[in-house]
Each structure stands twice: as structure tokens, then as C-alpha cells.
Amino acid sequence: MNISEQIQLENIAACEYEIFALLKQRYSPRTFKEASIKQQHINQIFEAARWSASSNNIQPWRFIYAERNTPAYDKILSCLNDFNREWATNAPLLMLTAYKEETEDGVENFHALHDLGFAIGSMTMQAQYMGIALHSMAGVDWEKAQDVFNVPEGYHIASAIAVGYYGGEIEKLSEELQEQEINERKRIRQRDFAFKEQWD
Ligand SMILES: Cc1cc2nc3c(=O)[nH]c(=O)nc-3n(C[C@H](O)[C@H](O)[C@H](O)COP(=O)(O)O)c2cc1C
């Protein structure tokens, strides 16, 4: 077993209750295998988004994606903050996520960001099934991204995502990031977010 496989194993969530294996194994790496993502896999990831649920079936999610060694990939990279740019270059594919702000009636769709998140969740689990990691990034200059990609009015860039097969070399990361990669993964307790019968 190489060091990357070992890290992947050690990153498995220490669940208190048994959950679906794909959920347990998912994590957000900052290093990825050198391989580009197969076109079939790209299509399967977006198909998972396509069949996600959304308020009134509005399907407000939008994505712009690009593969490494293309001008569009460099454009996405240029919109990331310095911290994310440092490691996201390890990803063979980058994407920007966006949502449509209004319903067909011109009313603000309060659930658009919710639905984009749901679609990204579906994509993430489909990807996980194929050995692909999605690492979301809030650290993106959304105004610059809107400008660089001529995003039409009425759509809002929400985040970026680094996409790649698990199994990257940890040595590609700075010492600080290597440490973060192997740090214990922590979560708040169930009782602090799942309230029975009353808020407390
Ligand atoms: C909406 C969103 C934004 C995030 N933004 C960043 C980011 O800008 N940079 C980064 O390195 N990780 C980012 N992350 C990854 C989180 O830090 C990570 O999901 C969290 O620490 C839990 O770790 P895990 O995904 O490995 O379980 C983001 C995750 C989400 C869902």
C-alpha cells in the first residue's frame, strides 16, 4: 500500500453510527492522481446533478468546467484565492458553480443556493463511486469569475470545485498542507444540530 492509499484509509470518517460506505469514505483532498478525468465520468457526474431535486423543479444550478492545459482552466485558477490556487493546480479539472437567482416569474428564488448545494452533493457521491473527489472552494473571487466568463445577468457564481481521482502524491503539498491532509477529521455532535421536539 502506498502512502496515498494509506491516507485515504485513514481519512475514513470515525462514525458513531454506521453510514453508507461512500459517505464514510468521502473527503476533500488537496492532491489528486495525475490522470485526467474520463469524459464518461464527467458526463456521469453532471447526470447526477441533473437528477437532483430542486424547489419547483427549477433546476437553478449551472456549472462551467475546464480541463488542465486549457485557457479556461487557467481562467478559473486565476479567480481562486492564493491559498486555493496553491493546491488546486493539482486537480485535472476545475469548475465554477452558479445558480439562477430568480424564478420564471421574476421572483427571488430563495432556495436556489440550497438546490445548487443539493446538486453538488449528488455529484459528489456519484464521483465518489467512481473514485473521484470533489473539493469545494468558497475562496473564489466570484465577481471576477462572473466577469471573466461573461456570466449572464441573473446568475450568481457561488463556488469553485477541484475535481480529480483520489490517490495523489501528498509530497506535492507544502508541509503545512501535508499536515492538514492527515489531520484528524472532526465534526460537531449530533445533539448539537439535530434537535428533537424543540430547539436547543
Ligand atoms: C461550500 C464549501 C466551501 C469550501 N471552501 C473551501 C476553500 O475555499 N478552501 C479549501 O481548502 N477547502 C474548502 N472547503 C472544504 C472544507 O474545508 C471541508 O469540506 C471541511 O473541512 C470538511 O472536510 P472534509 O470535506 O474532508 O470532510 C469548502 C467546503 C465547502 C462545502
Side-chain angles (χ1 to χ4, degrees):
M1 185 183 301
N2 64 35
I3 187 158
S4 311
E5 286 165 344
Q6 184 61 41
I7 288 162
Q8 202 172 333
L9 274 182
E10 286 174 359
N11 265 308
I12 290 179
C15 299
E16 288 178 20
Y17 299 92
E18 208 43 58
I19 58 172
F20 191 39
L22 292 178
L23 294 168
K24 196 169 166 172
Q25 292 158 354
R26 184 213 62 81
Y27 73 103
S28 304
R30 296 196 173 90
T31 176
F32 305 87
K33 223 185 220 171
E34 267 304 319
S36 53
I37 309 280
K38 292 180 187 149
Q39 188 58 48
Q40 170 74 7
H41 286 173
I42 295 174
N43 292 130
Q44 284 176 289
I45 288 169
F46 286 122
E47 193 67 8
R50 184 170 171 238
W51 288 100
S52 182
S54 62
S55 173
N56 278 316
N57 201 19
I58 289 175
Q59 306 164 57
W61 47 77
R62 300 289 184 274
F63 304 95
I64 307 169
Y65 72 97
E67 294 178 87
R68 201 162 28 208
N69 301 322
T70 63
Y73 180 98
D74 294 339
K75 283 203 289 191
I76 298 179
L77 209 54
S78 77
C79 296
L80 303 182
N81 67 19
D82 292 345
F83 172 76
N84 286 330
R85 198 176 311 114
E86 183 192 331
W87 61 264
T89 48
N90 295 328
L93 190 147
L94 290 175
M95 63 171 101
L96 291 168
T97 80
Y99 61 89
K100 188 171 189 274
E101 295 170 307
E102 294 183 349
T103 67
E104 290 305 311
D105 303 331
V107 177
E108 184 196 354
N109 181 6
F110 178 71
H111 294 99
L113 185 59
H114 172 286
D115 295 344
L116 170 64
F118 197 152
I120 294 171
S122 298
M123 293 166 81
T124 303
M125 296 328 296
Q126 177 64 39
Q128 185 72 28
Y129 178 66
M130 302 180 301
I132 296 167
L134 264 60
H135 190 146
S136 284
M137 292 172 275
V140 53
D141 182 340
W142 64 268
E143 283 171 313
K144 178 175 176 182
Q146 305 245 140
D147 195 38
V148 165
F149 284 97
N150 292 318
V151 174
E153 196 134 320
Y155 293 86
H156 196 303
I157 297 278
S159 65
I161 309 182
V163 185
Y165 291 98
Y166 283 101
E169 291 166 18
I170 192 165
E171 296 78 12
K172 282 194 166 173
L173 300 173
S174 65
E175 261 179 44
E176 194 186 327
L177 288 185
Q178 286 194 26
E179 223 169 89
Q180 283 188 31
E181 196 82 356
I182 55 175
N183 266 352
E184 188 195 349
R185 298 178 61 220
K186 292 188 181 142
R187 290 299 191 266
I188 59 173
R189 295 160 305 183
Q190 281 194 28
R191 67 167 174 268
D192 293 330
F193 68 86
F195 308 137
K196 189 171 182 185
E197 293 176 2
Q198 60 178 14
W199 189 284
D200 64 357

